[in-house]
Amino acid sequence: MVWKVPLASATRLPSPRAFSTSTTLFHRATGAQIPNTSIRVFREIPALRQWRRKQRLDHRSVGLVPTMGALHAGHLSLIRMAAADNSAVVVSIYVNPTQFGVHEDLDSYPKTWDEDCKMLRNLDRELSEDGGNLGKIAAVFAPTTDTIYPSGIPSQEVDGKGSFVTITPVGELLEGASRPIFFRGVATVCMKLFNIMQPEKVYFGQKDVQQTVVIKRLVKDFCMDTKVVVGATQREPDGLALSSRNVYLGTRRRKMATVLLRTLKLAEAAYFSGCRSRSELLGPAEDWIHHLEVEQRQNKPEKRASFLLDYISLADPETMEEIDEVDEKKGAILSGAIKMLPIEHPNDGEDLGLSGGLPVRLIDNIILQAA
Ligand code: AMP
């Protein structure tokens, strides 16, 4: 017997009467799964733990790819990596409220359950066509907030109370300085996911490089039995890093959005040409982006795509602390963040992006490899 389950908003699997038009199926015998696949959908911890125990008994390794959904090719590249390394891949899809500050875009964060299921189904087929050398996407873990925060959602205030994992000082720098509760929320939810799933390996994208440093520190300092694997940043043909938030840009801001990568590439070019000091590496790049920032502000309102530079950083790869000189034995991380401002004077019929052109924060980075 198969029913359809609208999973995106329900807190529990609904009664058969409520089953309608989502892409998730519910089988009496096996629980929910994505149609035409063997991908199980777990909403609750006990069933997932039971499944996990069976994997261990069967000597099947489990790789976990944590996501907030709105899947794109960046997420898929991590799932492919996980399938190359493990028998079973679990993709978690959960928009974690505790990493969003009170004034951030939690409510408008894209939630695309049906499209996500389709992408996973297509990737599952692609993996199975590889002749059996790759692991399978075995499960999606899409918990409710009651499951992840059984004592209630802790505060989203900086000094709020709750059961938190904090990783400092790295979590306070750069992205953490602009978004003070962000890494507390990320570390807390990842600790929970790792505890629930006990994966042999976990997969994170270099796109969020500071997050990878925080997670490595979490695993090391809390003696967790998992290995952190980092996958390369996937990009659009013009270099813009793929991000679930790019849908908010619209045409005019999308063209301007590559400014951050172009700035980082100027600094990288200086590194390739032999520069090692902070001023030589960042000076010309910062001058260039400041110039563009002012140029946009002074442009005609119907043409401009204004942005604010948050930071350009040259940091130690293990601590993310700013450095004055690159040690060639360690390399360094060049990273930056900008905020694309709303279009002030939209032209008739102009594509302003999803939700009509909210401010969009963009981050990117380049690793300066050790010599
Ligand atoms: P998110 O759903 O944005 O929380 O991202 C889930 C995972 O996908 C994180 O480990 C991200 O770093 C990774 N990710 C996001 N964008 C990209 C990208 N463009 N390339 C590679 N990995 C990415």
Side-chain angles (χ1 to χ4, degrees):
M1 175 59 128
V2 175
W3 295 300
K4 291 196 162 192
V5 178
L7 273 177
S9 57
T11 48
R12 291 180 186 285
L13 290 175
S15 70
R17 243 187 355 194
F19 295 166
S20 60
T21 56
S22 144
T23 51
T24 306
L25 295 179
F26 185 78
H27 291 258
R28 261 195 206 288
T30 58
Q33 70 188 69
I34 298 178
N36 305 318
T37 71
S38 55
I39 304 173
R40 309 270 307 263
V41 178
F42 292 102
R43 300 279 279 165
E44 318 241 344
I45 297 171
L48 178 57
R49 285 219 164 110
Q50 200 180 356
W51 172 86
R52 176 63 180 102
R53 268 195 293 277
K54 172 119 180 44
Q55 305 308 303
R56 188 163 287 122
L57 290 173
D58 293 346
H59 304 285
R60 291 167 60 78
S61 61
V62 171
L64 168 67
V65 182
T67 81
M68 297 205 297
L71 301 182
H72 53 62
H75 300 112
L76 300 190
S77 72
L78 295 179
I79 300 171
R80 281 195 194 92
M81 282 181 83
D85 290 351
N86 300 279
S87 325
V89 180
V90 180
V91 179
S92 64
I93 296 186
Y94 178 61
V95 181
N96 173 36
T98 64
Q99 68 193 61
F100 289 81
V102 266
H103 300 299
E104 290 180 4
D105 59 348
L106 171 62
D107 291 340
S108 61
Y109 195 85
K111 292 162 198 85
T112 57
W113 174 258
D114 287 356
E115 285 78 20
D116 291 349
C117 287
K118 276 185 213 144
M119 290 180 93
L120 291 174
R121 183 166 56 224
N122 292 341
L123 181 55
D124 185 53
R125 283 199 191 126
E126 177 199 308
L127 295 174
S128 64
E129 279 160 12
D130 197 76
N133 296 324
L134 298 172
K136 289 185 68 62
I137 307 174
V140 172
F141 181 45
T144 62
T145 287
D146 286 350
T147 294
I148 293 292
Y149 295 101
S151 310
I153 310 180
S155 168
Q156 286 165 280
E157 302 287 346
V158 176
D159 55 359
K161 308 278 179 233
S163 304
F164 292 123
V165 180
T166 54
I167 309 287
T168 57
V170 57
E172 298 168 321
L173 307 171
L174 300 169
E175 284 304 292
S178 296
R179 306 180 65 191
I181 68 157
F182 177 64
F183 287 115
R184 182 180 78 181
V186 167
T188 300
V189 79
C190 284
M191 170 76 108
K192 288 164 187 265
L193 293 172
F194 299 175
N195 280 339
I196 294 165
M197 225 91 63
Q198 308 206 348
E200 268 80 14
K201 293 185 182 171
V202 291
Y203 294 80
F204 288 85
Q206 191 209 306
K207 152 85 176 17
D208 300 285
V209 69
Q210 192 178 359
Q211 175 166 274
T212 67
V213 175
V214 167
I215 297 296
K216 282 181 188 162
R217 189 57 68 86
L218 167 87
V219 165
K220 179 178 169 194
D221 287 353
F222 289 91
C223 310
M224 303 197 80
D225 191 13
T226 192
K227 180 167 185 268
V228 181
V229 183
V230 178
T233 304
Q234 304 300 303
R235 299 180 179 280
E236 300 279 7
D238 67 356
L240 182 69
L242 299 182
S243 163
S244 306
R245 290 188 167 96
N246 290 353
V247 293
Y248 295 123
L249 286 171
T251 315
R252 208 190 312 178
R253 296 191 300 174
R254 170 64 188 80
K255 276 193 201 130
M256 182 53 64
T258 54
V259 65
L260 179 57
L261 180 66
R262 287 183 284 148
T263 304
L264 298 176
K265 282 201 167 286
L266 271 180
E268 181 191 42
Y271 184 68
F272 287 150
S273 72
C275 301
R276 295 294 177 262
S277 75
R278 183 178 187 87
S279 58
E280 289 173 315
L281 292 167
L282 295 193
E286 282 173 337
D287 287 348
W288 185 73
I289 194 165
H290 280 310
H291 169 75
L292 277 181
E293 202 181 355
V294 173
E295 191 178 75
Q296 281 309 303
R297 218 177 299 138
Q298 292 171 347
N299 202 349
K300 292 191 186 129
E302 62 276 16
K303 292 223 168 119
R304 68 179 166 231
S306 301
F307 65 89
L308 295 174
L309 174 65
D310 186 352
Y311 62 83
I312 298 289
S313 154
L314 178 71
D316 179 288
E318 276 158 36
T319 64
M320 296 300 292
E321 274 161 10
E322 296 302 306
I323 53 176
D324 289 327
E325 190 88 24
V326 180
D327 174 349
E328 289 187 9
K329 287 191 228 87
K330 288 175 96 177
I333 296 172
L334 276 169
S335 66
I338 60 171
K339 185 168 162 188
M340 299 294 313
L341 300 175
I343 298 288
E344 299 139 278
H345 288 265
N347 299 310
D348 280 350
E350 183 171 355
D351 160 31
L352 297 176
L354 201 72
S355 299
L358 300 168
V360 185
R361 186 179 168 78
L362 299 174
I363 61 172
D364 207 339
N365 67 86
I366 291 176
I367 310 251
L368 299 181
Q369 299 293 348

